[in-house]
C-alpha cells in the first residue's frame, strides 16, 4: 500500500507465476500483459533469476557511472527509464521493488518466480511431475498446462488467454490478499 503526497491510497495487485524451467512462464506473462493493458491496468513485471546478470559494456555515461562504482544507476528520459544495480551495497528485496512499483503507480505486478513468497500463484506446468511444488507455494489461483493435471484447482490451456486473464482478474477483484 502506498499513500501519495495528496493522501490517495494505492493498492498494487501481485500475481506470481511459478513453474519449472521451460514450462512457458515468460511467454504466458508476455501474452497476458497486453490483455490487462487493454482493460486499463498499468502492468509491471519482476523476474527472479539464479543466473548472473550481464550489464552493458561500452562508453555510455550510465555504464561509466556503474563501472566507477555506483551501487545503482538510472538513465531517464521524458518517456522511459532503465536502471541497473549491484546488490553488494543495497539490500534490495522483491518487497522493496514492489514498493517502488506501487509508488510509480503500477496497478498489477506479474512476478515470475519467488515461489516461496506469499503472493497468489499461477502455476505453469507441462506434466504432473511439475506440480510437486503445490504444497510449498501457498495460494494457487490456477494451473496453466496443455492438459488438465488436477481436479481441485482451475486448469487452463495456455492458448485460453482470455479465460486465464478472467481468472486472474476475478482474483484481483475478489481477494484482498493480492493487494500489497
Amino acid at each position: 500500500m502506498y499513500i501519495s503526497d495528496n493522501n490517495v491510497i494505492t493498492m498494487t495487485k501481485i500475481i506470481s507465476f511459478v513453474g519449472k524451467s521451460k514450462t512457458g512462464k515468460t511467454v504466458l506473462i508476455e501474452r497476458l500483459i497486453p490483455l490487462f493493458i487493454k482493460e486499463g491496468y498499468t502492468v509491471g513485471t519482476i523476474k527472479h533469476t539464479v543466473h548472473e546478470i550481464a550489464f552493458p559494456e561500452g562508453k555510455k555515461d550510465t555504464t561509466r557511472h556503474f563501472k566507477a562504482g555506483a551501487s545503482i544507476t538510472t538513465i531517464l528520459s521524458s518517456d522511459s527509464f532503465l536502471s541497473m544495480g549491484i546488490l553488494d551495497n543495497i539490500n534490495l528485496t522483491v518487497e522493496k521493488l514492489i514498493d517502488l512499483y506501487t509508488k510509480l503507480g503500477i496497478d498489477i505486478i506479474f512476478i515470475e518466480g519467488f515461489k516461496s513468497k506469499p503472493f497468489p500463484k499461477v502455476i505453469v506446468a507441462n506434466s504432473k511431475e511439475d506440480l510437486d511444488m503445490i504444497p510449498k507455494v501457498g495460494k494457487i489461483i490456477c494451473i496453466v498446462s496443455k492438459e488438465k493435471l488436477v481436479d481441485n484447482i482451475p486448469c487452463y490451456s495456455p492458448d485460453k488467454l482470455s479465460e486465464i486473464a478472467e481468472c486472474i482478474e476475478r482474483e484481483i477483484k475478489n481477494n484482498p490478499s493480492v493487494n500489497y
Side-chain angles (χ1 to χ4, degrees):
M1 178 173 66
Y2 174 66
I3 302 174
S4 69
D5 293 337
N6 56 354
N7 292 323
V8 174
I9 297 174
T10 304
M11 299 297 284
T12 299
K13 314 300 185 187
I14 313 292
I15 303 294
S16 183
F17 294 76
V18 298
K20 294 187 177 175
S21 182
K22 307 290 183 203
T23 54
K25 297 178 300 295
T26 300
V27 171
L28 179 61
I29 292 170
E30 181 180 37
R31 292 173 69 202
L32 286 170
I33 290 170
L35 298 178
F36 281 86
I37 291 171
K38 185 178 175 184
E39 292 298 317
Y41 294 100
T42 55
V43 180
T45 66
I46 299 172
K47 179 174 173 42
H48 181 254
T49 185
V50 295
H51 305 290
E52 187 173 329
I53 298 172
F55 291 100
E57 294 294 324
K59 297 184 179 184
K60 295 291 183 185
D61 294 348
T62 50
T63 303
R64 291 172 56 197
H65 297 169
F66 195 67
K67 285 184 173 182
S71 296
I72 188 168
T73 187
T74 302
I75 184 168
L76 177 65
S77 74
S78 62
D79 63 353
S80 59
F81 72 95
L82 176 67
S83 293
M84 58 182 160
I86 295 289
L87 296 180
D88 290 346
N89 302 321
I90 303 171
N91 182 20
L92 187 62
T93 63
V94 68
E95 291 82 5
K96 287 180 181 178
L97 277 175
I98 291 168
D99 286 342
L100 174 62
Y101 282 36
T102 301
K103 289 176 183 175
L104 292 172
I106 300 299
D107 298 316
I108 301 171
I109 303 173
F110 290 154
I111 297 179
E112 185 173 337
F114 294 102
K115 65 183 168 206
S116 64
K117 295 292 182 179
F119 314 124
K121 311 286 191 305
V122 172
I123 295 178
V124 184
N126 289 331
S127 68
K128 283 193 179 206
E129 290 75 36
D130 293 343
L131 300 179
D132 61 351
M133 71 178 68
I134 285 179
K136 305 171 198 158
V137 298
K139 167 93 173 131
I140 299 169
I141 299 169
C142 66
I143 296 173
V144 176
S145 179
K146 291 179 181 169
E147 58 185 77
K148 186 168 182 163
L149 301 176
V150 296
D151 291 324
N152 58 339
I153 299 170
C155 295
Y156 300 96
S157 173
D159 61 341
K160 301 290 186 185
L161 285 177
S162 61
E163 292 177 25
I164 298 166
E166 288 170 11
C167 179
I168 292 170
E169 193 163 27
R170 266 192 314 275
E171 185 70 19
I172 286 169
K173 289 181 177 178
N174 297 328
N175 187 347
S177 72
V178 300
N179 293 333
Y180 188 84

